[in-house]
Amino acid sequence: MTRVRAAVPTLVALALALAVGVALLLVVGAPPLETFRLLVEGSFGSASKISATLLAWSPLLLASAGLVVTFAAGLWNIGVEGQVIMGGIAATWVARTVPGPGWVLIPLMVLAGAVGGLLWAVFAGVLKTHGNVHEIFGGLGLDFVAAGLATYLVIGPWKRAGVASTSGTDIFRPEAWMPEFQAFGVGWPVIPVILGLLSVLVVWMLLRGTLFGLRLKAVGSNPYSSFLLGIPTNRYMLGAFAIGGALAGIAGTVQVAAFHHKLVPAISGGYGFLGILVVLLAGFSAVWIAPIALFFVGISVGSTQLDLQLGLDSAFGGVLQGIIVLFVMFGGAWSVRRASGRLTPQEEP
Amino acid sequence: MKRPRRAFGLLALLAVLALIAAACSSSSEETTTTAAPAESTTTVAAPAGEGFTFGMILVGPENDHGWSQAHFEAGKYLEEKTGAKMISLDSVNPADRPETSVEQVVDDMVDQGAGLIFATSDDMKDGIEAAAAAHPDIPMIWSSGDSAWAEGEGYKADLTNLGNVMGRMYYGKMIAGCAAAMTSETGKIAYLGPLINDETRRLASSVYLGAQQCWETAGKDPADLNMEVNWIGFWFNIPGVTLDPTEVTNGFYDGGADVVISGIDTTEALVVAGQRAAAGESVWAIPYDFVGACSEAPEVCLGVPYFNWGPTYLGVLNSVLDGSYTAQFQWVGPDWADMNNPDTSMIGWVSGDALADDAAAAVDVFIAGLGDGSINPFVGPLNYQDGTPFLADGETGNDQQLWYMKQLLEGMEGASSAG
């Protein structure tokens, strides 16, 4: 019963967000029902659409799962975007240099992506624990450095022969493409989806059923008390960065190996930032990441149809995502305020 | 679990605002709904293309006053001429649409009944080649590419459905160079380049050759003409990835150049020139790609070399409609009888308001010479930037030599490849 009641503000918020979305559509003169139908059809309406949505879902899942860990440790790991990019860069390096068949190459690329993301995250972590640089600023700074590095590599050392363009590197050889599973006439991104779901499962178990998870949450709730109680706070924070970064880095591998099949400067696809919204909306819980992330990428993938069939700018998808998060946050804040409002008058006199 | 609520709320708000801002900034481009084919069934007999759908994939915004808009207008020309229906998607590139690939867009368009696809950017090479292989029965055009050129370096013999269309823009760029040289007071002109490849080296070099030709015809000392090239890294500005074309243009003018010739898809060079002229400077610019590009700052616009894709695309569409389509490599020049004939000329030049009468007269003489063949700047001896020969003495450049330019020409300042 309390669970149902707790869900009420969220549902109200969703309804309000929907209403605002409809109002916006009416203002620009687009038919709301048709718009929503196209969003759904464009993301889940056919086998190839579902496959495309799942392919975008996987890196978002990985980035979001990693963020749950760092949020549990009380860390504002804003540097996911950079960690995804570094994972993509490391995986690209393997794809370009390591010979051998796919069954050697693909696991190595996943591993390299994890290491790339991990190192970048730990870098931000060390800046925090040992350099006293708040992780928001460290992470954001490292985002820009990673993006700059990707652009430099694409236009510099890894450029196509005779070309200097930020367009992208040469396409990987086929062995470095994550194999797809053929069914219903389309290729399915089975490996990325497994990696994504596995990451959620691992994070869920880690935080729920292990001593590490328990201590991590203690560090997140109150680092000082945890430290007094004998938990090596810094080590736990760095551990959280390492796990979060590794998962984000694997998202980068998925982006280069399963989607672009090359390195492009925009390799992160914005999934790092979108992941933050997903986790906020999920209330920091691993359980809700999967459906919420699916909902979000569904909007992203489906919104192409708005442009293609309705002449509506597909940025509407992004606007809708933003409105939803905004209203759910307000809903959350409102219910907290109402709950505390109920308590204070009784306590005060 | 207890959390730092205030910081959390603030951060959430920031993240959301950033998302909305990002979404809105790209939505500021006004979207025009694709015009439905004429519904006046009562008056005219149904044109040949009635009921046929073609897809148009644009790399930038459809109203960019440049490369992408030129293609979009060509699509509308096809609708008007044949009654076929265009479905188009703009800003198809990894920065603007991270979750969308060219292959997926082609799949979508084919699902919606498209029987012909135009992929209109060099950047779409990998995507359209994969899509052409996946839909071998659907005719496709990769504009500015060389995949269907049997004598070309990028020939893909197995992609029998993928043709190429490109305009011989080196003519337009030579005319632009001439107009720049006839206007420049400092003798310093500058080229705002996109990324570096065979095509862009060709076009930058053409500007230089045209400028040199007219400069020397006017009796001036060749040593007094300088041309600098700087590249932003992509066809248009991507914040954080490319150099900012506005800054690069300002850098040119700060460095003493007084005419900037644009080689990118968008009109920043012209806009900057307009601003600086309004502040009293004697500067000019030459935009690119789109017939109407001068309109953003006509008072400093010397003219614009532009693509008119319509007629050639119409030929492709008609061949698909009558079943005679084959994948061809078409590199189409201007209609010298009338460069600005919208139904016949692939390459056009419109002189701008800022082009002085005497300069305009010199440009007209130059155009006439190019048209009757009495002027051909692509005749040797010409050297590459590092001194290696490009064309031997008396040698006229052939299509392969012009298409695959490996460096800028001797005397030009700027990078021939990435450093």
Side-chain angles (χ1 to χ4, degrees), chain B residues 80-133:
Chain B
E80 185 191 310
K81 290 286 176 187
T82 68
K85 177 173 175 285
M86 166 168 66
I87 44 179
S88 75
L89 190 65
D90 68 353
S91 297
V92 177
N93 65 75
D96 284 320
R97 295 186 189 273
E99 63 285 292
T100 307
S101 66
V102 171
E103 293 102 301
Q104 289 170 355
V105 176
V106 171
D107 288 348
D108 273 345
M109 289 179 164
V110 171
D111 279 351
Q112 288 178 46
L116 167 65
I117 306 278
F118 294 95
T120 62
S121 173
D122 142 85
D123 191 49
M124 297 171 187
K125 174 185 167 66
D126 300 324
I128 197 63
E129 287 183 354

Side-chain angles (χ1 to χ4, degrees), chain A residues 188-277:
Chain A
W188 295 87
V190 172
I191 299 176
V193 167
I194 289 176
L195 288 170
L197 289 175
L198 212 59
S199 71
V200 175
L201 190 70
V202 166
V203 166
W204 180 76
M205 293 199 310
L206 184 77
L207 292 181
R208 234 189 128 83
T210 66
L211 184 64
F212 178 85
L214 188 68
R215 288 186 165 177
L216 201 63
K217 286 191 277 192
V219 172
S221 301
N222 193 332
Y224 187 62
S225 318
S226 315
F227 181 72
L228 290 183
L229 287 172
I231 299 177
T233 320
N234 281 354
R235 224 189 294 159
Y236 272 80
M237 283 186 181
L238 290 178
F241 269 119
I243 296 168
L247 294 179
I250 297 173
T253 300
V254 169
Q255 282 290 93
V256 295
F259 185 58
H260 289 288
H261 303 132
K262 60 182 171 186
L263 182 67
V264 302
I267 194 66
S268 71
Y271 293 129
F273 291 134
L274 198 58
I276 295 175
L277 295 188

Side-chain angles (χ1 to χ4, degrees), chain A residues 3 32 71 123 131 138 160 168 170 290-291 299 301 346 349:
Chain A
R3 270 194 172 214
F71 270 122
F123 192 4
R160 293 180 183 229
D170 273 315
I299 292 177
V301 173
Q346 295 167 343

Side-chain angles (χ1 to χ4, degrees), chain A residues 266 313-315, chain B residues 22 25-26 58-61 90-100 234 236-239:
Chain A
D313 198 296
S314 49
Chain B
S25 68
S26 57
L58 307 172
V59 68
D90 68 353
S91 297
V92 177
N93 65 75
D96 284 320
R97 295 186 189 273
E99 63 285 292
T100 307
F234 197 63
F236 45 81
N237 183 33
I238 303 175

Side-chain angles (χ1 to χ4, degrees), chain B residues 73-297:
Chain B
E73 304 276 327
K76 292 206 282 197
Y77 176 86
L78 264 54
E79 288 190 320
E80 185 191 310
K81 290 286 176 187
T82 68
K85 177 173 175 285
M86 166 168 66
I87 44 179
S88 75
L89 190 65
D90 68 353
S91 297
V92 177
N93 65 75
D96 284 320
R97 295 186 189 273
E99 63 285 292
T100 307
S101 66
V102 171
E103 293 102 301
Q104 289 170 355
V105 176
V106 171
D107 288 348
D108 273 345
M109 289 179 164
V110 171
D111 279 351
Q112 288 178 46
L116 167 65
I117 306 278
F118 294 95
T120 62
S121 173
D122 142 85
D123 191 49
M124 297 171 187
K125 174 185 167 66
D126 300 324
I128 197 63
E129 287 183 354
H135 300 277
D137 301 332
I138 306 286
M140 299 185 195
I141 295 294
W142 169 34
S143 307
S144 83
D146 61 349
S147 57
W149 192 9
E151 291 81 31
E153 292 176 6
Y155 184 49
K156 294 273 162 42
D158 49 327
L159 297 178
T160 54
N161 55 330
L162 183 62
N164 305 125
V165 172
M166 186 55 179
R168 293 183 185 265
M169 181 47 84
Y170 55 89
Y171 288 117
K173 290 292 191 184
M174 288 194 286
I175 298 166
C178 178
M182 296 314 294
T183 304
S184 177
E185 293 163 356
T186 62
K188 291 184 80 172
I189 62 176
Y191 190 73
L192 177 65
L195 46 85
I196 313 180
N197 67 12
D198 295 324
E199 174 191 333
T200 64
R201 283 188 289 256
R202 171 172 76 241
L203 297 183
S205 299
S206 306
V207 170
Y208 184 63
L209 286 178
Q212 245 183 354
Q213 181 86 30
C214 290
W215 184 263
E216 286 169 32
T217 305
K220 298 186 195 174
D221 182 357
D224 292 340
L225 179 71
N226 291 294
M227 179 168 147
E228 183 189 353
V229 182
N230 201 351
W231 312 94
I232 65 165
F234 197 63
W235 298 106
F236 45 81
N237 183 33
I238 303 175
V241 174
T242 62
L243 298 183
D244 181 347
T246 299
E247 278 177 31
V248 173
T249 305
N250 274 314
F252 284 144
Y253 289 132
D254 290 342
D258 59 355
V259 182
V260 173
I261 301 103
S262 173
I264 67 173
D265 287 9
T266 47
T267 55
E268 283 88 347
L270 184 64
V271 172
V272 169
Q275 290 161 351
R276 295 182 75 120
E281 292 182 40
S282 296
V283 294
W284 299 271
I286 299 179
Y288 177 38
D289 287 323
F290 176 58
V291 62
C294 277
S295 66
E296 300 217 0

